Amino acid sequence: MTSIDRTAYPQLNNRLSEKELALCYEINGDEKGFIWRQARNNRGYLVLATILKTRQQLGYFIGLEKIPKQVISHIARQLELPDDAWEIDDENFDRSLYRYRAACQKRIGSTAFSDKDKQLLANSVRTAAYTMSDPADLINVAIEVLSNAKIELPAFSSIDRLVGHERQAVHRQLYSKIANTLDSNQRQILDALLGACPRIENLLRKSWIWPDFPIIFVKYAQYSPQMIEKSESNQLSL
């Protein structure tokens, strides 16, 4: 699995400066009006405001239990609410939470990730995989595609699996395409090269044991490949 820290997948920072809090989680007058209209009590105001601001920052709805207390307190102060208004353990709160998320989606103009979006993402990643191979780069392509389309990001593991699948499919296609262009002589040469080092200790000594029959191989000299013929000796140092 690709490390999430090597990608642009958004994550919440548990330690933010006052400047970062103000930059990322400041609530303007229009947003406050939206919050007062959509919620009905202190808990609702605080939860809805927190959902809205974290959704704007991340591009997806994060679990309420994962939101740092520092962020919750900063938002509560702006709404002049006590921190203990944050009550999310109520079993009957799920319906309100669904309504709050739907209201945020409507305000932002975003949609939840669907099977149709999965196909869009797969096509975009597959196209990109012909010119880049690093899984982290392909994951970043996926994030950019979804963000531009205002589609909520799925879990990082879902993107990672999709990227791995499409990347492997492209690599197999490229391999087959190249392999199908080889004639029998070229195949014989490659087979000989691949079988030229039957013992790992020879590789560790940076030398290869070559077959007795003449073959052509590639030697890299100053980063420039050159085609040269096999020497008379059966052993050639690299």
Side-chain angles (χ1 to χ4, degrees):
M1 183 173 180
T2 307
S3 172
I4 190 172
D5 294 329
R6 294 184 58 237
T7 72
Y9 193 87
Q11 302 179 79
L12 285 182
N13 192 338
N14 289 323
R15 290 178 175 268
L16 295 172
S17 66
E18 290 299 322
K19 183 177 180 180
E20 290 172 325
L21 285 170
L23 179 64
C24 299
Y25 299 103
E26 202 72 15
I27 303 174
N28 60 39
D30 185 56
E31 290 171 336
K32 286 182 179 179
F34 164 77
I35 293 165
W36 303 140
R37 290 191 302 271
Q38 295 295 328
R40 300 169 185 169
N41 51 44
N42 286 352
R43 178 179 69 174
Y45 299 144
L46 182 54
V47 171
L48 176 56
T50 306
I51 288 175
L52 175 64
K53 299 310 293 184
T54 53
R55 168 61 183 82
Q56 289 173 343
Q57 288 300 310
L58 297 175
Y60 60 92
F61 292 110
I62 190 172
L64 298 183
E65 71 283 356
K66 297 179 180 179
I67 300 175
K69 292 182 179 180
Q70 185 185 24
V71 172
I72 298 170
S73 296
H74 179 75
I75 293 175
R77 286 195 299 271
Q78 295 179 74
L79 300 176
E80 298 181 352
L81 297 172
D83 288 355
D84 59 12
W86 185 260
E87 300 175 4
I88 60 174
D89 296 329
D90 188 347
E91 294 180 357
N92 299 320
F93 187 58
D94 288 347
R95 183 177 298 180
S96 297
L97 183 60
Y98 177 84
R99 182 166 59 84
Y100 294 157
R101 287 180 173 175
C104 289
Q105 285 177 328
K106 185 176 180 180
R107 178 178 176 82
I108 296 172
S110 65
T111 58
F113 186 76
S114 65
D115 290 339
K116 180 181 68 174
D117 302 323
K118 184 177 181 179
Q119 188 58 51
L120 167 68
L121 195 58
N123 293 339
S124 300
V125 170
R126 179 170 290 207
T127 299
Y130 284 100
T131 56
M132 59 180 67
S133 181
D134 190 334
D137 291 336
L138 294 173
I139 288 174
N140 290 343
V141 168
I143 293 171
E144 182 178 8
V145 168
L146 293 177
S147 298
N148 290 341
K150 291 189 175 182
I151 300 170
E152 291 167 11
L153 300 179
F156 178 80
S157 57
S158 298
I159 299 179
D160 187 54
R161 283 195 300 271
L162 184 145
V163 164
H165 175 78
E166 297 302 325
R167 177 174 175 267
Q168 186 178 42
V170 168
H171 286 184
R172 286 177 176 172
Q173 184 180 18
L174 291 174
Y175 171 81
S176 298
K177 185 176 181 180
I178 294 172
N180 291 335
T181 65
L182 300 176
D183 57 33
S184 58
N185 185 51
Q186 290 171 324
R187 289 175 182 271
Q188 183 182 14
I189 292 172
L190 287 175
D191 287 342
L193 287 172
L194 293 173
C197 185
R199 302 177 65 181
I200 190 64
E201 56 264 33
N202 291 321
L203 176 59
L204 294 176
R205 291 199 306 268
K206 295 186 177 181
S207 64
W208 295 76
I209 304 300
W210 297 97
D212 291 332
F213 54 87
I215 61 172
I216 303 296
F217 66 97
V218 178
K219 176 182 178 182
Y220 287 87
Q222 297 180 347
Y223 305 102
S224 177
Q226 300 175 348
M227 298 301 293
I228 64 174
E229 291 192 6
K230 167 187 170 293
S231 67
E232 294 298 326
S233 172
N234 285 338
Q235 179 168 329
L236 179 68
S237 297
L238 296 180

